[in-house]
Amino acid sequence: MLNFGTAGIPLNTKPRTTKNAFYLLRKINLNAMELEFVHGVNIKEKGAKDLVEHSNKIVVSAHAPYYINLNAKEKEKIERSINHIINTGKIINIFNRYSDANKNIVFHPGYYLKKDKKEVYNTIAKNIGKILDYLKENKINVMLRPETTGRTTQFGDLDETLSLSQELGILPCIDFAHIYARSMGKINDYNAFYKILEKVEDTLGKKGIYDMHIHISGIDYGKGGEKNHLPLKESKFNYRDLLKALKDYGVRGTVICESPRLEYDALILKREYEELE
C-alpha cells in the first residue's frame, strides 16, 4: 500500500494552518503530509502536541530546513545543521508517539564544496552518526532519511544515499524527480525506475522496499541538474512509468508530491496509481 500526500500545506487550505491542512487532506482523500520546515522548525513542541489530535489518519513526516550542510567548512554551520535535524526530530517524535508511520525526517545532507567525494562522504556519515547518538540517548524514535539530491554540486546521488543508509542503519528518501534531473533526463523510463528499486532492495533488503519515502514532482533541469520543480503535466518527467514500476515492484510507504500544484498533482498520482492493474 502507498500513502499519497503533499509537501506542506495544500493550496486550498483556508485559513492556511497545519490543523486545517489535515482536515482538507482527509476531505479530498489524501492521507499524508510532509511538514516543510524550509527556513527553520516553525512548530514548537506544545503546538505539535495540540496538532496531534487533528492529524488522525494522516501520515505525518517532516523535511528539515533546507540550509543544512553537514560538510560545511565552518564548525558552527555544521553544529547548526545538526541542531536543525535534531529539532525536527523532537517535533516529529511527538506525532510518532501516536503512529509508527509518523517518524520520517527528510534532509539534504550537504554540498561537495569541490572536495574529494570520499572525504565528503566520510564527513557527512560522521556527523549523521552524532545525530543518531543524540536521538538514541534522548529516546527520540525517528527515522533519518537523507534525500537523493537533484544538483551535481550536492552530495546525494543514488549510490551515495543508499551506501550511507546501509552503513548507518537508516533509510533514504528517494526523490525520483531529482534523480531524473541529476541524470540530465536519462533516467526516465520504466526499466530505469525498476532498476532503481532493485538497487534499493539489493542494498537495504525488503525493508527498503516496504518502508519507502518517495518524492515526485515535475522538474526542470540544466547542465548542473535540478533548476526548479514544475507541475506534473508541464514536465517531461515520466511519472506514469514510475507509478507502474512502483506498483509492479510492490512498493509500500509514502509518496509526497512536491509539485507547485501540490494536492492537485498528488490526486493525479493517487488516481493513476490506483487505476493501474
Side-chain angles (χ1 to χ4, degrees):
M1 174 187 163
L2 282 177
N3 306 296
F4 287 84
T6 59
I9 296 172
L11 301 174
N12 283 314
T13 307
K14 292 185 179 67
R16 287 184 60 75
T17 65
T18 303
K19 180 176 81 170
N20 288 337
F22 293 145
Y23 286 99
L24 177 68
L25 287 166
R26 281 193 293 272
K27 184 178 179 182
I28 62 177
N29 205 24
L30 292 171
N31 68 332
M33 188 170 84
E34 192 174 272
L35 303 173
E36 298 297 304
F37 296 145
V38 179
H39 300 297
V41 181
N42 58 5
I43 296 177
K44 305 303 178 191
E45 290 191 37
K46 183 183 182 304
K49 288 173 184 174
D50 292 341
L51 282 170
V52 165
E53 63 183 281
H54 301 284
S55 66
N56 183 38
K57 297 182 180 176
I58 303 295
V59 175
V60 183
S61 56
H63 198 305
Y66 282 12
Y67 38 75
I68 281 169
N69 187 1
L70 295 172
N71 183 50
K73 293 175 184 174
E74 303 86 353
K75 186 179 178 183
E76 60 271 20
K77 283 188 179 177
I78 289 178
E79 290 176 354
R80 201 156 54 236
S81 296
I82 287 171
N83 286 332
H84 282 318
I85 296 172
I86 287 171
N87 289 336
T88 303
K90 288 176 180 176
I91 296 304
I92 208 66
N93 188 50
I94 292 167
F95 289 93
N96 180 39
R97 290 172 195 161
Y98 295 86
S99 170
D100 194 46
N102 302 332
K103 62 181 180 181
N104 293 313
I105 303 171
V106 178
F107 64 100
H108 301 153
Y111 292 83
Y112 296 119
L113 302 179
K114 298 181 180 177
K115 294 180 183 177
D116 175 75
K117 289 189 175 183
K118 184 61 180 172
E119 179 189 342
V120 174
Y121 177 97
N122 290 335
T123 298
I124 287 175
K126 181 184 73 176
N127 287 321
I128 294 175
K130 291 178 182 177
I131 297 168
L132 290 170
D133 288 344
Y134 180 94
L135 296 175
K136 185 177 180 180
E137 287 167 13
N138 291 274
K139 296 183 171 59
I140 299 172
N141 179 29
V142 296
M143 177 59 72
L144 297 186
R145 288 191 181 257
E147 180 178 350
T148 53
T149 52
R151 298 187 182 96
T152 55
T153 55
Q154 292 175 294
F155 174 90
D157 65 18
L158 180 64
D159 289 339
E160 288 169 334
T161 305
L162 291 179
S163 178
L164 197 65
S165 299
Q166 181 185 43
E167 179 181 337
L168 297 173
I170 56 180
L171 290 171
C173 169
I174 305 294
D175 189 318
F176 284 93
H178 281 170
I179 292 172
Y180 159 76
R182 195 170 178 131
S183 77
M184 311 300 163
K186 294 189 183 86
I187 296 175
N188 199 34
D189 61 29
Y190 178 88
N191 287 335
F193 296 137
Y194 200 90
K195 283 177 183 175
I196 289 172
L197 297 173
E198 287 180 326
K199 185 173 277 192
V200 170
E201 183 176 2
D202 287 345
T203 309
L204 302 174
K206 284 293 183 187
K207 183 170 177 58
I209 292 297
Y210 291 161
D211 187 7
M212 287 196 79
H213 193 83
I214 295 165
H215 283 177
I216 302 177
S217 74
I219 200 164
D220 190 19
Y221 65 88
K223 63 181 180 180
E226 175 194 7
K227 288 168 72 176
N228 55 281
H229 288 185
L230 296 170
L232 290 175
K233 301 276 175 87
E234 294 178 23
S235 168
K236 293 180 181 177
F237 177 61
N238 191 351
Y239 71 90
R240 290 188 176 92
D241 271 16
L242 171 57
L243 292 174
K244 178 112 175 61
L246 295 175
K247 187 98 170 191
D248 289 351
Y249 210 93
V251 167
R252 303 175 197 168
T254 299
V255 172
I256 294 295
C257 179
E258 290 193 310
S259 149
R261 284 176 51 80
L262 285 177
E263 69 267 35
Y264 297 99
D265 280 356
L267 285 166
I268 287 173
L269 293 171
K270 184 174 189 284
R271 185 181 67 248
E272 297 199 16
Y273 175 81
E274 290 175 345
E275 289 173 355
L276 290 168
E277 294 183 359

